[in-house]
Amino acid sequence: MSDMSSQMSTDPISAIGVVTSLSKVTAGYYVVAQTTDGCDADLWKDGLFKSKVTRYLCFTRKTGPDVVVDLKLIDIKDMLPESFTPVHETMDTKEAAMRKKRLCVKMSPREAVKTAVHDIQIIAKSKYHLVNYTCIGEINNMGIWYRMGDVPQHQSTQEPFSIAESDALCNTTSRRTMGRPHYEHQISGIYTMTALEDVPFVISEKFCENPTMMQQVNLMGITIKSLAEIEEEFHYNFTTERSIAL
């Protein structure tokens, strides 16, 4: 039944139908069994003769690709509005849904709209008005009203690139720039790295502070000399070779 919890739902209506009996309602469907003032909301009842034929409006909010975005109630002889689909048959017995009138429904993809129909109510007296509802017409001296609402959009499962991830990527790139050349080979889509990946490749600061002090540094017994000291120690003037040539 379309109770208060149904009226306040934030989910849009995804399908509308008509049933012949309250006991034959499809699971997941709400039935508008009563008007807002508690009267029977039978859409088929005959005012002159008691009839065993009954018709009740029902709808569901089951999540699907499409939602209901508009409703129209037209005369059975009127031309069907563009983009609207009529509710021809009852869901439970496949009999005619209404007499003299046709309920027409307009559907649209959920992702393509921002608003849709959220609730449907029936009132027994046309002089009454429902706040935030729109009346589409009367049938058997009862008005059919619907309420529009926002369509909640599902968020993408892919999370946006976070600032932390961006910083981490920048730091990794910086380390690779400061390190040894990035030996990376692609073989059949598989990347391989050398054992020297991400090992810093820089000259020690003690060799960069003062070039004149380099001669005082001893590495594994090897004395570091300047260019002038090397030329002075190993200078050779080739005097013997020149004398022979003469």
Side-chain angles (χ1 to χ4, degrees):
M1 184 175 294
S2 183
D3 52 16
M4 184 59 67
S5 61
S6 170
Q7 297 178 38
M8 301 306 294
S9 174
T10 59
D11 296 322
I13 294 175
S14 56
I16 295 176
V18 175
V19 293
T20 62
S21 173
L22 299 179
S23 62
K24 297 180 180 180
V25 181
T26 304
Y29 274 75
Y30 295 95
V31 181
V32 188
Q34 293 183 336
T35 62
T36 54
D37 55 355
C39 297
D40 186 16
D42 178 15
L43 303 177
W44 191 282
K45 61 184 177 182
D46 193 330
L48 298 178
F49 304 98
K50 291 185 178 180
S51 174
K52 294 182 180 180
V53 179
T54 55
R55 298 289 187 271
Y56 293 98
L57 188 65
C58 62
F59 59 87
T60 182
R61 295 189 177 93
K62 287 183 177 179
T63 303
D66 299 327
V67 292
V68 178
V69 295
D70 199 3
L71 295 173
K72 288 186 181 297
L73 187 65
I74 64 174
D75 190 83
I76 196 70
K77 297 179 181 179
D78 292 343
M79 183 178 296
L80 184 67
E82 185 178 358
S83 302
F84 281 77
T85 302
V87 180
H88 278 306
E89 302 176 336
T90 58
M91 297 176 62
D92 50 348
T93 62
K94 305 303 180 183
E95 298 177 277
M98 296 180 181
R99 59 175 183 174
K100 299 181 181 180
K101 297 285 187 178
R102 280 196 299 181
L103 178 63
C104 303
V105 181
K106 183 177 181 180
M107 307 293 294
S108 182
R110 176 186 293 266
E111 302 298 332
V113 296
K114 294 182 178 180
T115 59
V117 178
H118 275 236
D119 187 47
I120 301 175
Q121 292 291 317
I122 297 178
I123 63 176
K125 297 180 181 180
S126 59
K127 66 179 181 180
Y128 293 157
H129 295 272
L130 297 177
V131 180
N132 298 327
Y133 281 71
T134 301
C135 182
I136 63 173
E138 294 185 7
I139 181 171
N140 292 336
N141 297 319
M142 296 183 298
I144 299 178
W145 296 66
Y146 71 88
R147 176 176 60 84
M148 298 293 289
D150 295 333
V151 177
Q153 299 294 339
H154 298 289
Q155 294 183 351
S156 173
T157 55
Q158 183 178 2
E159 295 295 334
F161 196 68
S162 65
I163 296 178
E165 291 173 339
S166 178
D167 291 342
L169 179 60
C170 291
N171 293 336
T172 301
T173 304
S174 176
R175 287 197 303 269
R176 288 183 176 180
T177 303
M178 295 294 293
R180 290 179 176 273
H182 187 207
Y183 295 103
E184 189 172 63
H185 308 283
Q186 183 178 7
I187 305 175
S188 300
I190 301 176
Y191 289 91
T192 58
M193 298 182 183
T194 68
L196 298 179
E197 176 64 23
D198 288 336
V199 176
F201 183 66
V202 293
I203 298 176
S204 175
E205 295 180 356
K206 63 184 178 181
F207 297 118
C208 301
E209 293 177 353
N210 190 350
T212 60
M213 298 176 61
M214 293 181 63
Q215 58 184 352
Q216 302 177 5
V217 179
N218 187 291
L219 298 177
M220 298 178 64
I222 301 175
T223 301
I224 305 300
K225 298 183 178 182
S226 66
L227 178 61
E229 291 175 327
I230 293 174
E231 290 182 348
E232 181 180 356
E233 181 177 353
F234 297 99
H235 176 70
Y236 183 70
N237 57 13
F238 296 95
T239 302
T240 303
E241 286 79 4
R242 289 194 182 94
S243 63
I244 295 176
L246 296 176

